[in-house]
Amino acid sequence: MNAIVALCHFCELHGPRTLFCTEVLHSPLPQGAGSGDISGQNEQAEEEEGGIQMSSRIRSHSPAEGASADSSSPGPKKSDMCEASGEICGCRSLAGGHPGYVSHDKETSIKYVSHQHPNHPQLFSIVRQACVRSLSCEVCPGREGPIFFGDEQHGFVFSHTFFIKDSLARGFQRWYSIITIMMDRIYLINSWPFLLGKIRGIIDELQGKALKVFEAEQFGCPQRAQRMNTAFTPFLHQRNGNAARSLTSLTNDENLWACLHTSFAWLLKACGSRLTEKLLEGAPTEDTLVQMEKLADLKEESEGWDGSEEEEKPSSQPDVGEGQELSKSSPETSLVPDCNSWNVAHRRLSVFRSLRHMRQVLGASAFRMLAWHVLMGNQVIWKAQDMDLVQSAFDVLRTMLPVGCVRIIPYSEQYEEAYRCNFLGLSPHVQIPPHILASEFAVLVEVRAASRSSLYPTLFDDEQSLNKYEFLVTSGSPVAADRVGPTILNKIEAALTNQNLSVDVVDQCLVCLKEEWMNKVKVLFKFTKVDSRPKEDTQKLLSILGAAEEDNVKLLKFWMTGLSKTYKSHLMSTVRSPTSSECRN
């Protein structure tokens, strides 16, 4: 993440000062770079957009050169520092000549470099201005807490001000702030909860250490009574230089700056890796909208549930919404995964990996019959002992449908009606009503033990596990071999039979086909449900869409149930708003 994290302090003599900052070094410096290369490097650094990236090419970040600075260094000079008795004062973190701290991230070849000030003039100016604003005008009520400020020119800042106890300071406390500076405003705002929690943890640790030192000093030599006895003496003359203590003295931690470097470096790395950019081209798909609606419904439902209500809730059978799954099994069956967890890897071999794999296992004619019922919205029933096999079959078959058209009960001990689910997994001993077996709106896949060693050619070693099964696909209305079927089914089969297309390419073909037919569904929905056009016009529209065949019409009507509520409400509002305005006039 291209950002700078800095610890700032409000000095009683010099005002806001930067104590310690950590930067990101994105590319290593060339070996043997001399002083003659500095100007070129600075010019190249200045060309980086935003000013933060240029810190990766400046000279002072080399640990060998350390804190040494010439007369042109933008950092504060020695004359600007506080004078303290024999120790580093409150305006300075590292002693002169200290090489600073460097952490190497081998995964990304990034270095995290910490010192008191950035060496690059523009970066120094940005950090300096953010430090002054965080400890002067940009503060929270009570002068302690987080705040956001900044602009495009000087960067955006997340600042958290806090106090550190000091028995020798005015008011027995000193004022500090931790700031995070970056040029990406949106990224910084989105990182607010993360930064607030982690920086708050660093502050709590500093305050806890300082509080122990403060209490020990007050117990040994109380300062409040001593100051009251010398109330008429100017306070600044009473310090004798001891009040300008460093943060290491206030916390009694000699390794403080090394610990802060570790914390700041981790903060930059973690904050940079927790959020990633995703390019979205065009409007969200219907599947995306439906998934967002389901997540919102689940969140609202979980918030509405109470612990007491959950205990008193009767054992009634909940309804299954679109795209949701409900597993129904006996208590004995539910214990199987726990008792046989060591055997999960073996059992997961008996699964379908893709539509092409399923077509190869079932056979071309049986797969076409099954896919036809899936696309038409008929109930698909699988009877098998292996729950993983049934679940994998449903995971593969559901890829042919929009998300809003999928209603699954993965495994049940009794038959469920078609209005509750269009994918139903059953135990082998479950009895299916005769009218369902004879119905043209259902298809049954029975998984039995194979009567011979191999039912289909084995291409891979992991397919041996499916050879022990025999798959029988039956329906009250079998699909005739010469039946044209829906257009999308023919295109899916063409993609599956084309061996030049990999499985990933076939998956992308499915996505494109679903989007193509969902667009036709949207047009038909607006034409028939919103505009209420006559049947003659509807037939003309279907001909234009290339969906005038019976199977295509049935498919469009079924897929219409998978439209998102957002899209439907948007159409209704845009159509009814002109009418309502005319009525008001």
Side-chain angles (χ1 to χ4, degrees):
M1 181 177 71
N2 292 328
I4 296 179
V5 181
L7 173 67
C8 307
H9 165 57
F10 189 89
C11 177
E12 295 178 354
L13 293 180
H14 301 100
R17 284 289 188 270
T18 304
L19 283 182
F20 194 76
C21 68
T22 302
E23 305 175 65
V24 180
L25 183 64
H26 287 273
S27 58
L29 291 175
Q31 296 294 333
S35 59
D37 297 330
I38 299 303
S39 60
Q41 293 174 7
N42 287 343
E43 292 176 0
Q44 182 181 6
E46 291 176 353
E47 295 177 359
E48 295 290 339
E49 182 179 358
I52 299 298
Q53 184 83 12
M54 65 182 65
S55 64
S56 65
R57 298 184 176 89
I58 59 177
R59 177 168 55 94
S60 70
H61 286 163
S62 173
E65 294 178 3
S68 60
D70 53 19
S71 59
S72 62
S73 173
K77 300 179 181 180
K78 184 176 180 181
S79 59
D80 295 334
M81 296 298 177
C82 296
E83 295 295 337
S85 57
E87 65 173 0
I88 299 177
C89 65
C91 274
R92 192 170 185 86
S93 56
L94 305 178
H98 193 286
Y101 300 94
V102 179
S103 294
H104 302 265
D105 186 356
K106 296 181 179 180
E107 296 179 357
T108 58
S109 300
I110 290 178
K111 295 181 181 179
Y112 299 92
V113 183
S114 296
H115 214 280
Q116 181 159 355
H117 305 282
N119 190 67
H120 193 279
Q122 187 177 354
L123 282 181
F124 176 84
S125 175
I126 291 176
V127 175
R128 171 65 178 167
Q129 185 182 58
C131 170
V132 172
R133 294 181 65 179
S134 69
L135 292 172
S136 57
C137 56
E138 305 288 355
V139 294
C140 291
R143 302 178 66 192
E144 190 170 21
I147 196 170
F148 177 87
F149 61 88
D151 52 56
E152 296 287 347
Q153 181 180 359
H154 301 96
F156 299 93
V157 183
F158 171 89
S159 171
H160 196 303
T161 52
F162 60 98
F163 291 103
I164 291 291
K165 285 291 186 180
D166 182 5
S167 60
L168 300 181
R170 181 187 288 113
F172 300 103
Q173 61 186 8
R174 296 191 179 276
W175 201 19
Y176 292 84
S177 70
I178 295 179
I179 59 177
T180 303
I181 312 169
M182 64 187 311
M183 306 306 295
D184 193 335
R185 176 177 61 89
I186 300 300
Y187 198 103
L188 186 59
I189 292 176
N190 290 334
S191 302
W192 175 287
F194 175 81
L195 292 174
L196 179 61
K198 302 307 176 183
I199 292 179
R200 185 68 252 179
I202 298 174
I203 293 173
D204 290 341
E205 186 175 357
L206 292 176
Q207 290 178 331
K209 293 179 179 180
L211 182 60
K212 292 180 181 179
V213 176
F214 174 79
E215 291 176 347
E217 293 177 348
Q218 288 292 87
F219 180 79
C221 181
Q223 292 290 317
R224 188 176 298 276
Q226 182 179 353
R227 293 184 184 184
M228 292 179 65
N229 294 333
T230 58
F232 295 101
T233 303
F235 174 74
L236 291 177
H237 294 275
Q238 299 296 323
R239 297 179 301 163
N240 295 326
N242 294 328
R245 296 191 295 177
S246 65
L247 191 57
T248 55
S249 175
L250 296 178
T251 58
N252 193 26
D253 186 358
E254 296 297 329
N255 298 321
L256 174 67
W257 304 117
C259 295
L260 279 180
H261 165 75
T262 303
S263 300
F264 287 173
W266 180 89
L267 186 69
L268 288 171
K269 177 177 174 59
C271 190
S273 59
R274 61 180 293 270
L275 294 178
T276 56
E277 293 182 350
K278 184 177 181 180
L279 179 61
L280 298 177
E281 298 182 356
T285 62
E286 283 298 302
D287 285 356
T288 303
L289 293 176
V290 172
Q291 289 172 348
M292 294 172 58
E293 292 172 355
K294 289 174 185 173
L295 289 176
D297 293 341
L298 289 175
K299 183 178 180 180
E300 183 179 354
E301 182 180 356
S302 61
E303 292 176 352
W305 278 36
D306 187 80
S308 59
E309 295 178 358
E310 187 173 359
E311 294 178 358
E312 301 174 359
K313 184 179 179 180
S315 58
S316 59
Q317 182 174 306
D319 293 335
V320 181
E322 293 181 352
Q324 297 179 355
E325 299 181 1
L326 175 63
S327 178
K328 297 182 60 180
S329 58
S330 63
E332 294 79 4
T333 306
S334 62
L335 295 177
V336 172
D338 296 332
C339 298
N340 300 293
S341 58
W342 60 273
N343 202 29
V344 169
H346 173 71
R347 291 190 294 109
R348 288 299 293 176
L349 290 176
S350 303
V351 296
F352 295 101
R353 301 189 308 273
S354 63
L355 284 175
R356 178 175 290 171
H357 182 212
M358 179 178 287
R359 186 175 186 273
Q360 179 185 358
V361 173
L362 300 182
S365 59
F367 176 80
R368 180 176 175 82
M369 179 192 303
L370 179 62
W372 183 88
H373 284 278
V374 170
L375 293 172
M376 292 296 105
N378 298 335
Q379 190 175 39
V380 178
I381 306 172
W382 280 67
K383 292 182 67 174
Q385 187 68 38
D386 192 342
M387 290 187 292
D388 290 331
L389 177 64
V390 176
Q391 181 65 56
S392 68
F394 291 161
D395 290 341
V396 168
L397 291 173
R398 70 188 298 173
T399 60
M400 293 191 293
L401 292 178
V403 174
C405 295
V406 178
R407 301 183 307 277
I408 298 180
I409 295 181
Y411 209 74
S412 176
E413 294 296 331
Q414 65 181 16
Y415 172 76
E416 300 294 340
E417 295 294 338
Y419 73 89
R420 299 198 66 243
C421 61
N422 56 339
F423 291 97
L424 174 62
L426 296 177
S427 177
H429 65 270
V430 176
Q431 296 295 326
I432 301 177
H435 71 279
I436 298 297
L437 296 176
S439 174
E440 61 178 339
F441 302 109
V443 60
L444 173 64
V445 181
E446 294 183 85
V447 183
R448 303 173 181 174
S451 58
R452 53 187 185 273
S453 60
S454 181
L455 296 176
Y456 66 95
T458 302
L459 300 179
F460 304 97
D461 293 337
D462 58 356
E463 291 184 2
Q464 293 287 350
S465 57
L466 285 178
N467 284 346
K468 59 185 178 182
Y469 295 124
E470 181 179 5
F471 300 90
L472 181 61
V473 183
T474 58
S475 175
S477 176
V479 180
D482 56 348
R483 186 167 182 172
V484 177
T487 305
I488 188 174
L489 175 58
N490 300 327
K491 292 184 178 181
I492 291 175
E493 284 195 311
L496 296 177
T497 55
N498 189 347
Q499 296 300 325
N500 294 326
L501 302 181
S502 64
V503 175
D504 294 334
V505 174
V506 173
D507 291 339
Q508 293 301 317
C509 289
L510 279 175
V511 174
C512 296
L513 288 173
K514 286 193 294 183
E515 280 301 300
E516 175 188 352
W517 282 83
M518 281 304 292
N519 289 333
K520 297 179 181 181
V521 169
K522 292 179 181 179
V523 174
L524 183 62
F525 176 81
K526 186 179 186 302
F527 201 80
T528 58
K529 304 297 183 180
V530 180
D531 297 341
S532 300
R533 298 293 185 91
K535 291 184 178 180
E536 294 77 9
D537 294 344
T538 303
Q539 290 298 327
K540 295 179 181 178
L541 175 65
L542 292 173
S543 300
I544 295 174
L545 295 177
E549 295 80 6
E550 180 183 0
D551 286 345
N552 288 330
V553 174
K554 290 181 179 179
L555 183 142
L556 292 175
K557 290 182 178 179
F558 167 58
W559 283 30
M560 199 178 293
T561 62
L563 288 175
S564 62
K565 299 176 183 177
T566 304
Y567 177 77
K568 293 179 181 178
S569 60
H570 173 71
L571 279 185
M572 295 299 181
S573 61
T574 55
V575 170
R576 293 174 180 174
S577 55
T579 305
S580 58
S581 61
E582 290 176 3
C583 295
R584 288 193 299 267
N585 294 334

